[in-house]
Amino acid sequence: DGGITQSPKYLFRKEGQNVTLSCEQNLNHDAMYWYRQDPGQGLRLIYYSQIVNDFQKGDIAEGYSVSREKKESFPLTVTSAQKNPTAFYLCASSAAGTSGLYSYEQYFGPGTRLTVT
Amino acid sequence: KNEVEQSPQNLTAQEGEFITINCSYSVGISALHWLQQHPGGGIVSLFMLSSGKKKHGRLIATINIQEKHSSLHITASHPRDSAVYICAVTIYPPNTGNQFYFGTGTSLTVIP
């Protein structure tokens, strides 16, 4: 079955620790995205990648880092510099490449709920 | 300022009722997306449309480009329709990366 997997579903960390959230897709999509969701707010873009070994900051990239070494994988690291890391994190992918000519659906993973205390 | 506004924020309906969720946007778009988020958190795409109307089962999505407005209708609502419905747009011209701009969502509860 094709899809996007995120692990773990729930993650607990102590303040000051870095934590990495996993995102894997087998849809052969070029583009991948990380979003953060907080209660009462729309999804906000953290980082996105249109192609392997390239990624761009979104609206709220401060305190986060990513890598895209493989097409299938786009891990997100929440660093200790992120002031309010407790949130629900969603990964998504789409067929969009670098042309920017068309709109595409995005396919979402099940999410990881991160709690930092 | 949010490019995408949804109403209502919360909606409670009796089973069987006809439901309408509205979405207005303030930018030129290449497409509008309706998404469904279940209580577990995962999001699925319901519709992508750039003009007219689309139907899938009991769900109907319409868009009026001139008025920059879209509606999602649910006919014969059922408790399993209870979810958060999210409107999102991709701007025109489509920027590289196919970025979405999201509304804050409408939380729907359908009571048996």
Side-chain angles (χ1 to χ4, degrees), chain B residues 4 10 21 23 25-26 32 34 36 43 49 51 62 65-66 69-71 77-78 82 84 93 95 98-101 104:
Chain B
V4 182
N10 298 284
I21 299 170
C23 175
Y25 53 91
S26 57
L32 184 141
W34 281 104
Q36 180 190 55
I43 294 175
L49 63 165
S51 65
T62 64
I65 298 295
Q66 286 73 30
H69 181 269
S70 175
S71 293
S77 59
H78 190 276
S82 298
V84 175
N95 56 5
N98 191 49
Q99 291 180 55
F100 279 24
Y101 296 84
T104 54

Side-chain angles (χ1 to χ4, degrees), chain B residues 29-78:
Chain B
I29 68 167
S30 61
L32 184 141
H33 306 258
W34 281 104
L35 312 170
Q36 180 190 55
Q37 185 173 32
H38 275 281
I43 294 175
V44 296
S45 176
L46 299 175
F47 296 103
M48 181 175 79
L49 63 165
S50 55
S51 65
K53 177 179 174 177
K54 287 192 176 180
K55 184 175 190 290
H56 185 256
R58 295 179 295 104
L59 300 178
I60 303 165
T62 64
I63 189 168
N64 184 318
I65 298 295
Q66 286 73 30
E67 294 186 3
K68 294 187 175 177
H69 181 269
S70 175
S71 293
L72 177 68
H73 305 288
I74 305 175
T75 62
S77 59
H78 190 276

Side-chain angles (χ1 to χ4, degrees), chain A residues 7-13 19-22 87 112-116:
Chain A
S7 59
K9 191 166 178 64
Y10 298 95
L11 192 51
F12 299 89
R13 279 294 182 270
V19 59
T20 297
L21 281 58
S22 166
T112 292
R113 193 166 297 278
L114 173 64
T115 303
V116 177

Side-chain angles (χ1 to χ4, degrees), chain A residues 8-66:
Chain A
K9 191 166 178 64
Y10 298 95
L11 192 51
F12 299 89
R13 279 294 182 270
K14 294 288 187 187
E15 195 173 320
Q17 293 179 334
N18 290 356
V19 59
T20 297
L21 281 58
S22 166
C23 177
E24 304 274 335
Q25 56 99 358
N26 61 5
L27 300 167
N28 199 33
H29 284 166
D30 285 314
M32 297 186 74
Y33 314 81
W34 273 106
Y35 296 100
R36 173 182 170 134
Q37 188 176 38
D38 294 283
Q41 296 194 39
L43 278 76
R44 292 183 289 168
L45 181 65
I46 305 172
Y47 270 98
Y48 70 97
S49 168
Q50 297 169 252
I51 199 166
V52 174
N53 292 323
D54 185 57
F55 47 83
Q56 307 295 328
K57 291 183 179 180
D59 300 320
I60 55 166
E62 186 176 347
Y64 300 97
S65 66
V66 293

